[in-house]
Amino acid sequence: MPRRQTVSPLEQVLLTRHVVPWWLYFLLAIITWLALHYIAQSVRPLSQRGSEMVTLLHSFALVGQVLVPLALLCTGVAELFNRLSRRRRLDRLQHEGTSECLLEQLSWQEMCDLVELALHGESYRSVSGAAKDTELMLQRGELRALLVTEYWRRPTLKTAMLQHALERAQALDAEATIVVCNGRINNDTRAFARRNAIRLIDRGHMQQWLQRAAKQGGALS
C-alpha cells in the first residue's frame, strides 16, 4: 500500500509547529565543530606573537569546538524526542478518533496553532501588534482582528472577560475581536458577544475542526 503523502491539519499542529527541524541541529553541530576546530588549529602558532585578539580567538575556538556542537547535539536530541512523542500521541489520538478526546489532549500551544491554522483558511494572516502571549493580531484585507486565547481553559466564560477582550482590541486599534474558550458559555455572555460583534470560538467549533482534521487532509473550515 503506498504511503500517504498528504499531511492533515492535525499533523501540522502536532508535528510541524517548530520552524527548525531536528536534523538541522545535527548538521549545524558538525559544521560548527569543523569550523571551530579549523580555527583552533590554524591560529595556534599565531598566538605566540602576543596578539590579544588572536589569543582570545584561539581560546574561544578551543573551548567552543566542544561546547557549541555539544549544545546543538543536545538540542537536536531533545527536539527529536519531542517529535517522536508528538507522533506517538498523534497516532493514539487518531486511533481513539473522538473530537472530545482530541480536544482534551491539546496543549495551549497546540490549541493556538490549530485556531491560527483554521483562521488561515479564512484568509486571516498573523501580523505584528499584539503585546501578550495570549493574544494574536490577525488581518484579512483591511480588517484587523485580535485573537484572544487567555480564557481557553477557564471553566466558564464571563461577560467581564469579553469586556476586557473588547477593550484590549480597541486599545490595539483592532476592528474585530475573536475569543477562544473551552469552557461553558451562558446565554448572557453569548448575547453580549453578539451585541458587540465578538466572535466566539467555543468547544463545539474546536471539536468540529479537530474531528475533520483527524480524519482527512486539507484545510479546516
Side-chain angles (χ1 to χ4, degrees), residues 167-183:
E167 293 172 354
R168 286 289 301 160
Q170 293 172 348
L172 296 173
D173 295 325
E175 294 86 5
T177 309
I178 306 174
V179 178
V180 184
C181 181
N182 184 41

Side-chain angles (χ1 to χ4, degrees), residues 157-191:
L157 183 65
K158 299 180 180 179
T159 303
M161 299 175 184
L162 292 185
Q163 180 65 45
H164 180 263
L166 187 62
E167 293 172 354
R168 286 289 301 160
Q170 293 172 348
L172 296 173
D173 295 325
E175 294 86 5
T177 309
I178 306 174
V179 178
V180 184
C181 181
N182 184 41
R184 187 174 64 88
I185 305 177
N186 59 37
N187 293 332
D188 292 338
T189 303
R190 290 187 182 276

Side-chain angles (χ1 to χ4, degrees), residues 6 8 15 26 37 45 71 77 100 129 134 171 173 177-178 194-195 200 204 217:
T6 58
S8 72
L15 299 180
F26 289 83
H37 182 72
V77 170
E100 184 74 22
T134 56
D173 295 325
T177 309
I178 306 174
R194 287 192 297 270
R195 288 196 303 270
L200 298 179

Side-chain angles (χ1 to χ4, degrees), residues 142-156:
E142 298 298 325
L143 177 67
R144 283 168 56 89
L146 182 67
L147 173 66
V148 180
T149 61
E150 182 177 354
Y151 312 117
W152 158 243
R153 287 298 185 187
R154 297 294 180 89
T156 303

Side-chain angles (χ1 to χ4, degrees), residues 32-33 35-41 43 55-67:
T32 303
W33 181 83
L36 292 176
H37 182 72
Y38 173 79
I39 294 174
Q41 295 297 319
V43 302
T55 302
L56 181 62
L57 178 62
H58 174 259
S59 300
F60 171 77
L62 195 64
V63 177
Q65 67 178 340
V66 177
L67 296 183

Side-chain angles (χ1 to χ4, degrees), residues 1-6:
M1 182 178 180
R3 185 176 181 180
R4 179 171 61 93
Q5 297 296 323
T6 58

